[in-house]
Amino acid sequence: MNLDLAWDPLLAVPGPSTIPPRVLRALGRVVDHRSPHFHKLYNDVVDGLKYLFRTNGDVYPITASGTGAVETMVLNFVKPHDTVLVPVFGSFSRRLVNHLRRVGAEVIEVNYKLGEAPTYEDLRARVESMGIKHVDVFATVYNDTSPGVVFRDLPRVSQWIKSIADLVLVDNVSALGGDYFEVDSWGIDVAVSSSQKCMAAPPVMSFIAVASEEAYRKLETVNHPSIYFDVKLMREFGKKSETPFTPAVNYLFAIREALNLIREVGLENWIKWHIERGRAILNALSKAGLEPFIKNDYYRSTTVLSFSYPQGVDPVKFRKTTYRLGVAISDAMDEARGRAFRIGNMGYLIRRDTLTLVSAILGSMAALGVTQVFNGDVLREVLNYWEPPSFSVDE
């Protein structure tokens, strides 16, 4: 037996997340993707996704990871030489810039220091100081998982930015369902997300929400080389409750079940559970002596919590030890790599899992010679946060 390989590790990484048993069971079914059975499945999934995105617009499922959804958004709604304004505050907002430049966009970056995210006042002041009067697109990540910051002022920014930008495009791969996000009321034209994060569904599916007539008008003017990621085709086939090409049908059954679970709990409660659980993990590990990497509460992500490695701790040995205790966590990326580890507070982490997570992290620190406090105060944080009561008996 290889003790370095946990047989079935608890997933506390920024995706994929742990999947509820009833969602896993739903993977066992497949139907013809041009059949009446599939038409019902498609409609059920789309209705559930509209509920999650908070939109009356259209939502199209894509058999691809979240990166595929971001690529779909950029390919279909950004033309070569479009001027695109992008706040950059982490690894995935930099990746968004890369997507945009690959299609020939002229990107205007507004860069933030590591651990900071845009605020309405700062972003507006910086844009106005640059003399920007008009851009074709404002594109942003909502929740950047490395280092673990959230664009909390996006609702205000989105309303203001429409005075100078034709479209607002948002990558919300890592927080849909785990934090507040409303496509229609926030004035977002196009948004994308994926299945394996806060939805508590298997990886491989992603989604694009197209919420405005302005977005569809722009879509008709954009020519790109992709057939697979063509939203015009998705729209055409969506009218028949189908996808243009064979999707991961059994995964759509699982996604429908995950969406049913969220509806049963209620989206507000599902989000509340993420917020309360995240606060409990943050408080428990802070009381045990670990230091949050993101100092500002306003910037800190709900769905990805990052902590500085204690002085003298080897990051690789720490994560490997934690994995041997049955818990998977992640290193940070880019300039934060080796400086912080990340915890995915996503989806179906019940109280037992939260206790396992906290215990494994503190146990690993102890094994590596770092003195941590695991006392009643730490335990009470895990015991006392709110959790949907049905989860204690549901499975």
Side-chain angles (χ1 to χ4, degrees):
M1 179 180 178
N2 186 347
L3 294 180
D4 290 333
L5 297 177
W7 174 74
D8 186 23
L10 172 67
L11 295 179
V13 294
S17 62
T18 297
I19 303 170
R22 61 184 273 191
V23 175
L24 281 174
R25 290 193 291 269
L27 277 168
R29 187 178 179 194
V30 65
V31 296
D32 171 16
H33 66 294
R34 303 295 183 217
S35 69
H37 283 98
F38 182 82
H39 296 159
K40 183 181 187 311
L41 172 64
Y42 181 96
N43 291 333
D44 289 346
V45 168
V46 168
D47 286 346
L49 291 170
K50 288 182 179 182
Y51 172 69
L52 208 58
F53 275 101
R54 288 300 199 222
T55 183
N56 292 314
D58 299 317
V59 184
Y60 306 107
I62 308 166
T63 302
S65 69
T67 302
V70 175
E71 185 159 308
T72 301
M73 179 172 68
V74 170
L75 282 172
N76 285 272
F77 298 97
V78 180
K79 295 193 292 188
H81 308 299
D82 271 358
T83 304
V84 185
L85 179 66
V86 184
V88 178
F89 53 97
S91 299
F92 289 89
S93 44
R94 278 190 290 275
R95 186 180 294 183
L96 176 58
V97 168
N98 187 28
H99 280 286
L100 290 160
R101 288 196 167 129
R102 285 189 176 218
V103 301
E106 298 175 6
V107 180
I108 303 170
E109 297 182 39
V110 182
N111 290 284
Y112 287 84
K113 295 178 182 177
L114 181 66
E116 295 183 355
T119 62
Y120 168 78
E121 290 82 4
D122 181 77
L123 183 62
R124 181 165 186 170
R126 290 170 70 173
V127 169
E128 289 176 350
S129 71
M130 296 165 72
I132 297 171
K133 303 298 183 184
H134 176 264
V135 293
D136 297 294
V137 173
F138 175 74
T140 187
V141 173
Y142 178 55
N143 187 75
D144 205 310
T145 61
S146 189
V149 289
V150 64
F151 189 174
R152 193 67 66 191
D153 280 359
L154 179 58
R156 288 185 70 194
V157 168
S158 183
Q159 297 295 334
W160 155 69
I161 206 73
K162 282 296 187 73
S163 65
I164 64 168
D166 297 334
L167 292 182
V168 173
L169 311 183
V170 180
D171 164 0
N172 190 21
V173 166
S174 60
L176 186 70
D179 206 342
Y180 297 107
F181 185 76
E182 300 192 7
V183 168
D184 288 358
S185 67
W186 291 10
I188 296 167
D189 296 286
V190 183
V192 295
S193 194
S194 65
S195 59
Q196 78 275 17
K197 308 282 188 177
C198 304
M199 281 180 58
V204 87
M205 295 297 297
S206 56
F207 323 103
I208 184 166
V210 185
S212 71
E213 287 304 315
E214 291 85 358
Y216 276 123
R217 282 195 290 271
K218 180 67 175 287
L219 177 70
E220 293 304 318
T221 71
V222 178
N223 294 313
H224 58 80
S226 179
I227 296 174
Y228 190 77
F229 292 128
D230 190 341
V231 173
K232 296 188 193 76
L233 279 178
M234 295 178 194
R235 188 184 193 192
E236 177 185 335
F237 277 81
K239 292 173 181 176
K240 303 183 290 184
S241 302
E242 295 180 4
T243 56
F245 313 104
T246 307
V249 177
N250 54 326
Y251 284 77
L252 286 172
F253 278 108
I255 287 164
R256 180 172 68 178
E257 191 64 24
L259 290 166
N260 287 342
L261 176 58
I262 294 172
R263 278 189 183 274
E264 290 166 17
V265 172
L267 181 56
E268 285 289 329
N269 282 334
W270 191 260
I271 293 171
K272 176 184 175 182
W273 185 31
H274 281 75
I275 293 170
E276 295 288 332
R277 186 179 60 210
R279 186 181 296 121
I281 295 168
L282 178 74
N283 290 343
L285 293 179
S286 297
K287 286 180 177 179
L290 291 175
E291 183 180 350
F293 190 70
I294 307 301
K295 309 301 183 188
N296 189 315
D297 291 344
Y298 195 65
Y299 298 145
R300 188 182 297 117
S301 169
T302 294
T303 63
V304 179
L305 307 173
S306 52
F307 291 85
S308 299
Y309 292 107
Q311 188 172 7
V313 168
D314 182 291
V316 175
K317 285 184 179 178
F318 165 65
R319 295 194 314 279
K320 184 175 289 188
T321 304
T322 306
Y323 198 79
R324 289 180 65 185
L325 291 173
V327 176
I329 57 175
S330 294
D331 198 6
M333 299 168 63
D334 298 332
E335 70 265 45
R337 184 181 298 276
R339 297 172 58 186
F341 64 90
R342 296 178 297 153
I343 297 169
N345 172 38
M346 295 177 169
Y348 188 77
L349 286 173
I350 59 176
R351 197 180 311 277
R352 175 198 62 201
D353 301 328
T354 307
L355 176 60
T356 301
L357 166 67
V358 170
S359 301
I361 288 172
L362 298 183
S364 297
M365 292 294 181
L368 296 175
V370 179
T371 302
Q372 301 295 331
V373 178
F374 193 11
N375 58 21
D377 285 344
V378 173
L379 190 58
R380 273 188 288 274
E381 293 292 342
V382 178
L383 286 173
N384 292 334
Y385 71 87
W386 182 86
E387 180 172 89
S390 62
F391 286 170
S392 63
V393 296
D394 183 51
E395 299 293 352

